[in-house]
Amino acid sequence: MAPALPRPLSGQTSRWTPEFIVDTGGFVCVLGHLALAYYSWGGLGEPSLAPFFALIGWVALPWLAVFALLAKHPDGVPVGRLIIWAVAFRVCGLFGVPLFEDDYFRYLWDGYRFAETGTPYGWAPAASFADDTVPAAFQRVLDQVNYPDVPTIYGPTTQFVFLLGHLVAPASLWPVQVLLLGIDILLIRLLTTVAAPRFVLLYAWCPLVIKEIAFTAHPDGLGACLLVAAILLRHREQSRAAAVCLALAVGAKVFALLLVPFVLARAGPKAWIAFAASVALLYLPFVIQGGTDLTALALVAASWEFNSALFGLLSQWLPAAETKWLLGCVLVVIGGTYWLHYSRHSAGQIPRGDWIFGCFLLAAPVINPWYALWLLPFAVVYPSLWAWTASLAMLLSYVTGLNLGVFDLEPFAHPHWLRPLEFGLILTAVGVDIWRRRSMV
C-alpha cells in the first residue's frame, strides 16, 4: 500500500512564492505601462487626464500589492526579478511619447547648441527664430521650446547628457531616454546595497519615477543618482571621490547643494577643496564662454510659481519677496539645527534626504512632480507612508487649465480644490506616520 502524501498545513499554498508574487505583479504592471505608451500616442484619443490617471491607477495597484504581499517573505525577495521587471517598465517608456510635457524640446535644442557652439548657455532660443542656418529638424524643435525667451536652466552635468544624445541621434529623444534609464537602473542597484529589496521595490516600480524618467525624460534622476553615489562613497571613506560625485550632482541641479554640508560633514579640508575645485572645473569652460544656468535659474526663482504649498498659502497675505525671505530663514534654521545634530551624532549614517528635500519642497514656490525624484531614494532607506503617498499625490499637479482644456483657468493654474486634496493627502500620511511611530514606543 502506497504511503499517504503529506497534507499541506492549513492556509499554506506553494503558489504564492516571492517569485510568483513579483512575476505576477510585474506582468500586470508591464501591461499597464504598455497601455500608457499606446495612450501617449493618442491610441485612446487625444491625451486627457481621466485615462491618464486610470492608467496610473492600473500600475499603482499591483506595485502596492506586491510590496504588501512581500512582507510575508522579507528574506526571500528575488532582487534579480525585481530589477528585471523594473527595466521592462522603463523600456515601455521608450515606445511612448512624453505626456503633458514639452520640456524635452529644450533638451534637444540644448544638445544642438552645445554641439554647434561649444556651449548651450548665454543664448535664448528665441534669438534663433530668424536664423536660416538652423537645420529644418531643429527649426521644428525650436518651434516647440517652451519659454523661448529664457536661456536654459539645465546645469552642466545634464548638458553633457543632452550633448551625448545629440551626437547619437540629432533631434531625437530616445538616446537621452536610454542614458537616463541606464542611470536610473544604476541608482536602483546602489539602493540594493543599503536597503532591503522589498523597500527598493518601492522606488524601482514607482509609477511617478517611471513616468517622469522613462516616459518624460526628466533628468533629475541623474542628479539623485550622483548624490546617492557620493553618500555611499563618503561612507566608504572615499571622501575625495565622494566630493567629485557631489560636485557633479550640483552640476546636474542646484538642489544637491542642500546635502553638501551633510555629505562632507567631518570629511576634512581636502574633501571640501576637491568639491570646490570640481564645481569650478565643471562651470569654468562655460563661464569663459559667457554664461551658465545660474542666470535663468535666478529669473525662475524670482518670478515663477506653480503648485506651491506654504509659499502659495502665505503669499495670500504677504508679498512674494517677503514670503520667500521668511520661508528661507525658517529653512535655514531647521536645516542648521538638523546639521548640528547630524554632525555630532549621526555623521556615519545616511542623512535624512527625505526630510531635507521634503521641507525644501514644502516651502518652494515651484513644486513639479519630478522634483520628488530627489527625495524618493531616501524614502527607500527610511521608509515612510508620506513619501510614497506624495509620489502619487504630486501627479495631481498635472490637473491644470491647459490639460483640462478649459478656458476659465490660466494654462498652468489649478482648480481651487486640487492643492487642498494633493497636500491634504500628504499631510494625512504624515499624521499616520507620526501616530504609528508613537504607538510603537
Side-chain angles (χ1 to χ4, degrees), residues 8 199 281:
F199 294 103
L281 288 173

Side-chain angles (χ1 to χ4, degrees), residues 18 27 55 62 69 72 103 150 156 160 218 220 238 300 310-311 322 345 373 378 383 414 427 431 434:
F27 180 71
L55 291 169
L69 290 170
K72 298 180 179 179
D103 288 352
V150 178
F160 284 105
H218 280 294
D220 293 64
Q238 299 179 39
V300 170
L310 289 179
F311 175 82
E322 292 180 11
H345 306 291
L373 295 173
F378 297 94
H414 292 128
L427 286 175
I434 293 172

Side-chain angles (χ1 to χ4, degrees), residues 230-275:
I231 291 169
L232 296 183
L233 286 168
R234 176 71 183 92
H235 284 198
R236 295 172 186 172
E237 300 299 329
Q238 299 179 39
S239 298
R240 277 175 277 188
V244 172
C245 268
L246 193 58
L248 290 170
V250 171
K253 199 162 199 168
V254 293
F255 284 10
L257 282 171
L258 294 172
L259 258 72
V260 170
F262 298 91
V263 178
L264 298 184
R266 297 184 180 177
K270 290 183 179 179
W272 283 96
I273 292 170
F275 169 73

Side-chain angles (χ1 to χ4, degrees), residues 416-438:
H416 67 275
W417 52 265
L418 185 131
R419 294 192 202 184
L421 174 61
E422 177 186 356
F423 297 113
L425 289 170
I426 299 171
L427 286 175
T428 300
V430 170
V432 173
D433 280 330
I434 293 172
W435 175 79
R436 289 172 62 187
R437 179 165 300 193
R438 288 183 175 178

Side-chain angles (χ1 to χ4, degrees), residues 121 156 212 218 310 366:
Y121 300 117
E212 299 300 347
H218 280 294
L310 289 179
V366 175

